[in-house]
Amino acid sequence: GIVHQIIKIKENHIINKNTGDFFNMSKREKWSSEFGFLMAAAGSAIGLGNLWKFPYLTGISGGAVFIIMYLILMFTLGAPLLLTEMSIGRHTKSNSIDACKKISPKWGIAGGFGVAGAFVILSYYMVIGGWVLKYMTSYLFGTIENPQQYFSDFTSSTAEPIIWLVVFTGICALIVNAGVSNGIEKISKIFLPLLFLFIIIIAVKSLSLPNSIEGVKFFLIPDFSQKNWISIFINAMGQVFFSLSLGMGTLITYGSYLDDDVNLVKNSLYIPIFDAVIAITAGFAVLPAVFVFNIPPESGAGMIFQVLPSVFNEIKFGRIFAVIFFLLVFFAAVTSAISLFEVITAYLSENRHFKRLTAVIMIFIATSFTGILSSMSFGKLSNIKILGMTFFEFFSFLSDKILMPLGGLLICILAGYIWDRVVFKNELSSGGKYKVKIFKSLRFILRYTAPLMIIIILISSWIMDLSD
Ligand code: PFF
């Protein structure tokens, strides 16, 4: 309504005085449809976190107990933060750093964690993306005889994983360079529906294997004799953050390309629902197969590269299922990686005034370089340690355990304590167009629950990780 308009005009006036980039605002890109945004945002959320991390985290964290915690946290902590980030982005129509500055001039740092974190995540995410490409093509043109050996030979070699990593990064760079609606949105609208279809095929196949019921039981029946509740809880919380792409400026950036009349609350439910559905379907796809072949569910990070190939080798048409599986993992990885790419691209082009192409090339070169360090940490550089961690481990520690929670914490404080609540609520409701019944609870979560939980997590996970 009219009040909304006035508030917007006032805000723009302030923005104008603070940063002087009022005129750039009219040139900004937009999603071409709400569906396109939803696919892009769900694409960011659904990634290696769902397909690679979730099944093995469930495996090492005692199955159903972990899933229950994960689902509760997803909607009590994840969805509220997601909603908050989208609102900040749409309200300010800016990259993550400028967005936070526009909420409060000294708070650019809150978005800065995002830009830094996005870079650090890319530095190891791309390596796995490269592995996925390698496995996909291996099954396309042949097969993998001895998966354990194959995995360690491949990952510890130098040239090949680097080539695949650079190819993967190059694909992301091309998509991002094509633009928000022309690149990111278009690709997401194709990849995400295909991903849904493929994962259902794999899950159905997996559930139809004899004895798969053991995997389903492990997945669905909670084992309350668990002792390390705290570490299960920390894993679940970390997984919610990582899986929803929180604290990294992704949803601020994607939200900034949204129209003012899109219902944010609705979208903040759809995205976690899609994300959780895919994670759980991935569990059904991976864990039963693992049980059928008597492989311990705790087998860890190698699950999809070592364990699943052994399964593919045993079943009829295994090669076809393998190609479908790695293709879907590839779709998931690309749509997530481009969201990280876009966080940095938006910052470099809007705040630093680089051309989009220049920004993309800079990111491509920089992340290829750090990616090479990560990749080689499985081989030639495995002896180089930072705080006792290889490059790969260090990058993932730095982003998942430090930058992501800290970024999330600052966003909570910024939106919960500093952002004018009338303006915030007005943004959520699109100027009164939608009823927002959850505003009080949302503020409570942002002010108390979320910061407290994040701080507990930060402290305990540092203690645990560094004492490993
Ligand atoms: N959510 C992605 C996944 O589950 O694989 C990873 C990710 C993407 C994390 C974007 C953070 C981010 F900003």
Side-chain angles (χ1 to χ4, degrees), residues 28-265:
R28 286 191 99 239
E29 284 215 60
K30 271 189 177 183
W31 305 109
S32 70
S33 66
E34 189 178 340
F35 174 75
F37 161 75
L38 189 59
M39 289 300 103
S44 169
I46 298 164
L48 294 169
N50 305 57
L51 304 164
W52 169 63
K53 270 193 183 171
F54 184 80
Y56 90 75
L57 276 179
T58 309
I60 60 172
S61 316
V65 172
F66 173 77
I67 298 177
I68 294 167
M69 284 194 195
Y70 164 81
L71 285 178
I72 294 174
L73 287 171
M74 193 82 170
F75 292 94
T76 54
L77 186 77
L81 258 162
L82 187 97
L83 178 58
T84 303
E85 287 198 23
M86 286 194 305
S87 318
I88 293 178
R90 187 176 71 178
H91 184 72
T92 57
K93 308 268 186 299
S94 303
N95 66 86
S96 64
I97 293 187
D98 291 326
C100 294
K101 275 191 196 155
K102 285 175 186 178
I103 302 288
S104 177
K106 289 209 180 103
W107 278 75
I109 181 83
F113 277 101
V115 175
F119 179 73
V120 177
I121 296 183
L122 283 175
S123 307
Y124 74 89
Y125 208 82
M126 300 299 202
V127 175
I128 314 284
W131 294 359
V132 173
L133 276 178
K134 161 74 179 171
Y135 271 65
M136 189 176 88
T137 48
S138 301
Y139 274 112
L140 200 58
F141 299 113
T143 187
I144 291 176
E145 291 297 344
N146 182 345
Q148 310 279 331
Q149 190 63 37
Y150 188 91
F151 181 76
S152 61
D153 287 350
F154 168 65
T155 55
S156 63
S157 63
T158 304
E160 245 215 297
I162 291 180
I163 294 170
W164 287 111
L165 141 81
V166 173
V167 171
F168 184 87
T169 314
I171 295 173
C172 297
L174 286 176
I175 298 170
V176 173
N177 184 52
V180 175
S181 59
N182 244 329
I184 298 174
E185 181 177 352
K186 268 205 183 123
I187 284 291
S188 305
K189 282 200 282 201
I190 302 169
F191 281 9
L192 252 245
L194 281 176
L195 187 158
F196 273 84
L197 177 70
F198 288 174
I199 198 161
I200 290 170
I201 296 177
I202 299 290
V204 168
K205 175 69 196 174
S206 180
L207 289 171
S208 71
L209 295 172
N211 212 18
S212 66
I213 190 73
E214 288 309 312
V216 176
K217 275 192 199 151
F218 173 79
F219 208 62
L220 293 184
I221 302 176
D223 167 14
F224 288 112
S225 67
Q226 278 299 329
K227 297 260 153 47
N228 25 8
W229 289 95
I230 296 185
S231 77
I232 297 178
F233 182 76
I234 289 170
N235 280 346
M237 173 112 171
Q239 178 62 13
V240 165
F241 257 79
F242 188 79
S243 189
L244 284 179
S245 310
L246 297 175
M248 292 289 94
T250 316
L251 287 138
I252 297 182
T253 310
Y254 274 16
S256 76
Y257 305 124
L258 268 177
D259 269 332
D260 287 332
D261 60 1
V262 167
N263 187 340
L264 294 181
V265 179

